[in-house]
Amino acid sequence: MNHPNLQVVDHPLILHKLSYLRARTTPTKEFKELVDEIAMLMVFEATRDLVTEEVEIQTPLEKTTARRIRGKKLVLVPILRAGLGMVEGVLSLIPGARVGHVGLYRDEESLEPVEYYFKIPPQPKGRDFLVLDPMLATGGSASAAVAGLKRRGATSIRFLCLVAAPEGVDRMYRDHPDVPVLTAALDRELNDHGYIMPGLGDAGDRLFGTR
Ligand code: PRP
Ligand code: URA
């Protein structure tokens, strides 16, 4: 199936870093650094269509016009826990971004997401939201996070992950065809436990050393 909602950001630097991220021997500290670095490299593509406006500025030599991003500040929305690992990387390029949080975990049997926390800035309409989660597996968590944002009034949403399964991309297209999905890699499939193959294992556990 083709994925009209999907953009694979496969820059050589990203591919290189992803190879270390996937490797089982990569220790927690390095894993966290790689997640941040890849997220940062992906920000260029994830923000490519932000709208700019002309402003007048004074250089040391004369007045001129330049362009700045228009509108309210972008909102990053990491899906807890693993999405937290991408926040610093994105903020290093967009330091003025606001950060909301969506708490979801996958029920290990049903694989369905369970919401336990939701906090975003007021007046979501007219803001650009960038939802962050390293893994898009069944798509249940991403779809629920986006639905939660829409219920609260958000209209401009993008989803940024590092590794996606075709099943998750399809689910996002079915549930939210208006939401672009950007990933560093589109993997082969999900296994019977909902893990992405070949994937990188459990992103939250590898980020926070909980396994
Ligand atoms: C992982 C991952 C995503 C979700 C993806 O989180 O970070 O949020 O699974 O799976 P899905 O596409 O099938 O919903 P997990 O539920 O393991 O929680 P954690 O981040 O707290 O480890
Ligand atoms: N969540 C993860 O952390 N890894 C997977 O492979 C699937 C879901």
Side-chain angles (χ1 to χ4, degrees):
M1 180 170 176
N2 73 338
H3 306 285
N5 53 337
L6 182 70
Q7 183 182 351
V8 180
V9 187
D10 53 1
H11 187 283
L13 281 176
I14 294 178
L15 295 179
H16 182 80
K17 290 177 188 296
L18 198 55
S19 79
Y20 290 100
L21 193 72
R22 289 186 190 278
R24 167 188 202 154
T25 48
T26 300
T28 300
K29 178 174 179 292
E30 210 175 302
F31 189 90
K32 168 77 177 87
E33 289 165 358
L34 287 162
V35 168
D36 266 328
E37 287 166 5
I38 298 171
M40 182 184 73
L41 290 168
M42 293 179 73
V43 166
F44 282 98
E45 282 307 321
T47 53
R48 181 175 282 286
D49 56 355
L50 289 184
V51 180
T52 59
E53 65 186 356
E54 196 169 277
V55 293
E56 206 169 77
I57 55 161
Q58 171 83 51
T59 77
L61 301 172
E62 64 174 13
K63 266 194 180 156
T64 185
T65 57
R67 301 202 71 82
R68 289 193 180 143
I69 293 168
R70 194 177 75 188
K72 298 181 191 166
K73 300 238 187 284
L74 187 85
V75 186
L76 312 181
V77 186
I79 300 179
L80 305 179
R81 288 173 300 171
L84 287 176
M86 300 166 74
V87 172
E88 287 306 316
V90 179
L91 280 178
S92 64
L93 284 188
I94 318 177
R98 306 283 191 239
V99 183
H101 292 88
V102 177
L104 293 172
Y105 67 87
R106 286 202 312 180
D107 181 88
E108 289 194 356
E109 298 213 329
S110 68
L111 299 183
E112 282 305 310
V114 182
E115 184 181 306
Y116 61 87
Y117 189 75
F118 210 111
K119 181 81 181 172
I120 56 169
Q123 288 142 19
K125 197 156 183 236
R127 287 189 186 273
D128 292 302
F129 286 84
L130 191 54
V131 180
L132 307 175
D133 194 326
M135 311 306 280
L136 178 63
T138 63
S141 306
S143 178
V146 168
L149 286 173
K150 287 182 174 175
R151 268 199 309 280
R152 290 161 175 91
T155 52
S156 170
I157 306 170
R158 299 169 184 75
F159 181 79
L160 184 62
C161 61
L162 306 188
V163 180
E167 293 88 336
V169 181
D170 290 344
R171 165 92 184 254
M172 281 295 279
Y173 189 58
R174 265 199 322 277
D175 295 353
H176 305 289
D178 56 313
V179 174
V181 173
L182 290 96
T183 186
L186 178 62
D187 277 12
R188 192 178 68 244
E189 61 187 355
L190 292 181
N191 71 11
D192 292 342
H193 305 287
Y195 277 87
I196 301 175
M197 302 298 284
L200 50 75
D202 188 306
D205 282 341
R206 294 197 64 186
L207 268 169
F208 298 109
T210 43
R211 191 126 181 252

